[in-house]
Amino acid sequence: MNIENPYYQITLRNVIGITLFSVLIFVIAGVILVQLDPTIFTPGRALGDRMLWVTFLATGSVIGATAYVVGVWGVVGLIRPDARWILIGVATAAALFFVGERMDALLGFGIIENTRANYADSMTTPMGVFLLIAVMGFILPIPLEIYFRGILFNYLGRLLGFEGAVGFSALIYGLTYFNPAIPIYMAYGIIHGAVLAILYARSGSLWTAIAANGALASLILAKIAWG
């Protein structure tokens, strides 16, 4: 993708507006859910159940805010993808998963085991596994990629150039992986963020990054459930 392409012109006003509107929608909807069910986000609920609602809130918030602020989906790269690039994205995700899983096993980081322990309560039944993969592998990647690649990466591309945008957006994305119990996990997030940004930039369609993100999450959950 050419950073100077006029169809990918995200301004600072867009970034601020989408961020603020997303947070506002998320908070208001979250408050309504808590009023309906006070236990919905408490530690007593399985992590998978909490993530289900957080994912729905994040998806609605980011999509709603983006639609309101920019109006045209092509601005954030949601254009028809080339099937070849979707396959490349999925294959890249598989490679990232394999390398990461081997490093985790060989160096004893404990990422897979920690994640398995966190989601154990939500994966006790086949339906629980299916719902978790559906949420984490098919729904959550959409708002993540719209915000981190479609919004932040595009804006940073104008400000810092291609290499700077890849590096800085990946660093910000890596913060979402922060886990005090496993600090190295953040490094995985940075690497994943950089690869997803490059896939998006080279293919020109955000759907490539969405497919790669979803495939990676699905492979991790499959490993946790059946590995």
Side-chain angles (χ1 to χ4, degrees), residues 50-181:
R50 285 178 276 154
M51 283 302 302
L52 173 68
W53 289 108
V54 169
T55 296
F56 287 145
L57 288 176
T59 302
S61 300
V62 172
I63 290 177
T66 303
Y68 178 77
V69 174
V70 300
V72 181
W73 291 112
V75 172
V76 295
L78 281 173
I79 60 176
R80 183 176 180 178
D82 186 325
R84 175 176 63 92
W85 273 104
I86 295 295
L87 293 176
I88 291 173
V90 172
T92 302
L96 282 174
F97 167 76
F98 177 76
V99 173
E101 189 272 336
R102 286 296 85 203
M103 289 184 64
D104 182 48
L106 292 173
L107 300 178
F109 293 143
I111 294 173
I112 292 294
E113 290 308 313
N114 182 269
T115 307
R116 179 180 286 119
N118 286 336
Y119 287 101
D121 291 344
S122 301
M123 305 182 81
T124 55
T125 65
M127 180 56 69
V129 174
F130 172 78
L131 286 174
L132 201 56
I133 291 177
V135 169
M136 304 291 283
F138 292 89
I139 300 175
L140 186 57
I142 296 174
L144 285 177
E145 294 309 311
I146 288 176
Y147 189 79
F148 285 101
R149 256 59 67 181
I151 305 301
L152 284 182
F153 174 71
N154 276 329
Y155 171 67
L156 292 171
R158 299 179 61 198
L159 196 66
L160 305 174
F162 177 72
E163 292 80 6
V166 169
F168 201 67
S169 65
L171 180 61
I172 297 173
Y173 182 69
L175 293 174
T176 66
Y177 280 65
F178 177 71
N179 184 338

Side-chain angles (χ1 to χ4, degrees), residues 90 92-94 96-98 177 192 196 211-221:
V90 172
T92 302
L96 282 174
F97 167 76
F98 177 76
Y177 280 65
H192 294 168
L196 290 168
N213 192 322
L216 183 58
S218 297
L219 287 168
I220 292 171
L221 290 172

Side-chain angles (χ1 to χ4, degrees), residues 7-30:
Y7 293 104
Y8 297 90
Q9 296 298 306
I10 296 295
T11 66
L12 180 59
R13 178 181 291 184
N14 295 149
V15 175
I16 294 173
I18 290 170
T19 301
L20 292 179
F21 274 120
S22 295
V23 171
L24 181 63
I25 296 170
F26 187 94
V27 170
I28 292 173

